[in-house]
Amino acid sequence: MIIGIDLGGTKILTAVADKNGKVIASVKVDTQAKLGPKKVIDNLKKSVTLALDKANIPLSRISCIGVGAPGPIIGDGTIVSPPNLPGWKKVDIKKLLEKMFRKRVVVENDANAAALAELMFGAGKHAKNLLYITISTGIGGGIIINRKIYRGSFGIAGEIGHMNVLIDGPRCKCGNRGCLEAVASGPSIARFAGKNDALAVEISARKGDKRSLEAIGQAAKHIGTTVGSVNNLLDLDMIVIGGGVANMGDLLFKPIRKWASKCAMSITRKHLKIVPAKLKTNVGVMGAIAICLKGSPDEARRAKSGDE
Amino acid sequence: MIIGIDLGGTKILTAVADKNGKVIASVKVDTQAKLGPKKVIDNLKKSVTLALDKANIPLSRISCIGVGAPGPIIGDGTIVSPPNLPGWKKVDIKKLLEKMFRKRVVVENDANAAALAELMFGAGKHAKNLLYITISTGIGGGIIINRKIYRGSFGIAGEIGHMNVLIDGPRCKCGNRGCLEAVASGPSIARFAGKNDALAVEISARKGDKRSLEAIGQAAKHIGTTVGSVNNLLDLDMIVIGGGVANMGDLLFKPIRKWASKCAMSITRKHLKIVPAKLKTNVGVMGAIAICLKGSPDEARRAKSGDE
């Protein structure tokens, strides 16, 4: 049996699952991020105890604990200053949880874990090379190469939200200008449409509101052009798009596909496949389960030494 | 001993090398591409015989023949309609050469082979993940992941020249608009500067000609922004830039680095490394040698089945 933990800025989602990724029980507790790392770790521990109780399974039957965490992960499992966990400079959460539970612990960036979850349990079951994008408050991504998470040379690959799409474009939260996130995230769409959030834009757009349709169309143009370009570079089996904004469905996917196809080379166009994520709000916890099932210590060691 | 063949649109460069990639002898013959595939294959054969003679080495001592060829390679070694080899629809050059010489033959797209050559013999000796870009008449690329050529799901990865950099930008030879190649290739730079070719632009720029400097600056802005963006996505050890236009040196690399750094996220900026290719006109033949040394049949088989 496996425990998957989705460590978010406001909630901790913890599930007990079997070796096939089937969830037996899951619980949700407040992260209480403002109270600092110690309190958050206490809440992690509490969530594990609660989930085991709910599943009626003793800790002794657990073989691995997977954690999907925001921000970059250094080394095997050190969380470094994630934007939505204030006060976390460098916390070796892997070591902490290993000591606490005496179990194998696997820690992964949440977007990478989500990409693996879509590969193993979601839209990408038959894919070899896949890009996962999440569009919500920000735009993040995870890359799967040869059915494995691709972390890059320094563990920070996948930042599709900070690819430049508009030279000298609007300022992004990261400090640069014209990033995809700055023109196509939920808040960017809402701002352009003069609404409070992306959901309000969607509702107006479905009623035919011109400005809302335009806001969605513009975001889709940038997302589509970016994924079409990335597909020319990486020649992927598929691009999976999730996150709150992706719930708009065809309103967003139709123009995304149009622009991606426009920018794809003719030789790649016929292979271009852009699909909505299958896993919804549970993608985080399924990602945490996926990294346990996939990321055996041997595999990790091989990947590290570069001779896989 | 190994034979490396750089099959170009105008010249065939063939070299005999030892197991360390040291070239013993090399010859150059005309491709005569206009006379069709049969004549080209004859010329390939002639070049091999000439190179062996020059090296004073019998065919019996050759263990592998590597071929770097333009355009996409299907399966193990079928060349498909490369733009600069007219009349080649589908030619299984691997089978042809295997029958002709009774040796192991490895065929690879030339940009991929060049990327591997830079990794093994050039600027990327210590890199694990690397992007190679060639800027000349067109803009091509090859991606190295985990010290291996990354071919993508359908064998056509690496087309950085056809990433979109300017929405609704100038028409590209590929039919789309605003590709990197359409704004930053040698001919694009020359056109912008009102000169015959990129070399003429360089000479004028070194004399202080404003329009030439502007043309180079504009190309560098797009190249820099693209590689900075790609580095945010792929988190590479280094980006190696070669091809005729890269011979401009710092005139081109300084603004490329400036714009790449501007577009890199702060966490990736410190790792960003953009270097000129070390191999010059012999990069093609060194690539053909590299694929022989690296691409053992077992490796290829494993990569194909997806379980490497």
Side-chain angles (χ1 to χ4, degrees), chain B:
Chain B
M1 301 293 242
I2 277 159
I3 288 176
I5 304 174
D6 174 16
L7 170 55
T10 54
K11 297 279 177 192
I12 296 168
L13 215 82
T14 298
V16 180
D18 68 14
K19 295 248 166 190
N20 302 313
K22 201 180 158 262
V23 172
I24 315 291
S26 68
V27 298
K28 202 189 265 186
V29 308
D30 286 336
T31 309
Q32 299 182 295
K34 280 181 190 159
L35 303 181
K38 258 201 180 147
K39 186 67 188 168
V40 174
I41 303 281
D42 275 354
N43 288 333
L44 275 181
K45 191 179 176 180
K46 193 175 79 182
S47 79
V48 169
T49 313
L50 286 173
L52 287 170
D53 278 0
K54 197 169 171 188
N56 199 19
I57 281 170
L59 182 61
S60 60
R61 285 189 57 199
I62 299 298
S63 62
C64 176
I65 299 174
V67 183
I73 312 290
I74 282 190
D76 269 351
T78 300
I79 298 183
V80 189
S81 322
N84 50 356
L85 291 177
W88 290 52
K89 271 188 184 154
K90 272 192 180 185
V91 179
D92 190 340
I93 196 159
K94 179 180 160 75
K95 227 182 224 164
L96 275 168
L97 294 180
E98 274 173 352
K99 268 192 186 162
M100 194 178 282
F101 294 109
R102 310 253 153 223
K103 300 288 175 188
R104 183 162 83 86
V105 174
V106 187
V107 183
E108 185 57 74
N109 163 276
D110 48 10
N112 288 350
L116 190 65
E118 283 293 336
L119 183 87
M120 290 177 72
F121 309 120
K125 276 184 187 166
H126 303 292
K128 187 176 159 192
N129 305 306
L130 174 157
L131 171 68
Y132 170 80
I133 309 177
T134 168
I135 306 174
S136 56
T137 315
I139 296 185
I143 301 171
I144 301 289
I145 301 275
N146 271 326
R147 292 191 68 79
K148 277 183 201 153
I149 293 171
Y150 171 74
R151 291 182 187 82
S153 295
F154 307 95
I156 44 186
E159 293 289 1
I160 192 166
H162 300 285
M163 293 187 81
N164 184 287
V165 298
L166 209 57
I167 286 195
D168 308 323
R171 185 74 66 184
C172 180
K173 269 196 278 180
C174 75
N176 299 340
R177 285 190 170 282
C179 296
L180 180 62
E181 181 168 300
V183 298
S185 66
S188 309
I189 295 172
R191 204 180 313 119
F192 192 88
K195 302 279 173 190
N196 281 332
D197 54 35
L199 188 60
V201 181
E202 182 189 351
I203 292 167
S204 304
R206 292 206 188 277
K207 287 179 187 155
D209 177 59
K210 235 181 146 180
R211 197 164 156 205
S212 296
L213 283 164
E214 219 178 287
I216 295 171
Q218 166 151 312
K221 184 173 182 173
H222 288 301
I223 298 165
T225 304
T226 305
V227 300
S229 287
V230 168
N231 198 62
N232 285 344
L233 182 71
L234 295 182
D235 184 23
L236 303 159
D237 290 295
M238 60 167 66
I239 292 145
V240 181
I241 306 183
V245 176
N247 290 335
M248 287 189 191
D250 271 357
L251 203 59
L252 187 72
F253 278 84
K254 260 177 121 167
I256 285 180
R257 289 195 186 103
K258 185 187 88 183
W259 286 104
S261 172
K262 234 184 158 99
C263 147
M265 299 175 72
S266 61
I267 194 170
T268 68
R269 194 172 291 137
K270 58 179 178 236
H271 302 304
L272 190 64
K273 207 170 163 188
I274 300 169
V275 300
K278 268 203 179 165
L279 307 170
K280 301 297 174 185
T281 50
N282 63 336
V283 67
V285 81
M286 291 311 292
I289 293 165
I291 55 170
C292 262
L293 294 173
K294 191 86 176 183
S296 78
D298 289 15
E299 234 176 39
R301 219 169 293 131
R302 251 182 295 135
K304 244 186 168 176
S305 68
D307 51 29
E308 63 170 313

Side-chain angles (χ1 to χ4, degrees), chain A residues 9 29 178 216 235 280 302:
Chain A
V29 308
I216 294 170
D235 184 23
K280 301 294 176 188
R302 251 182 296 134

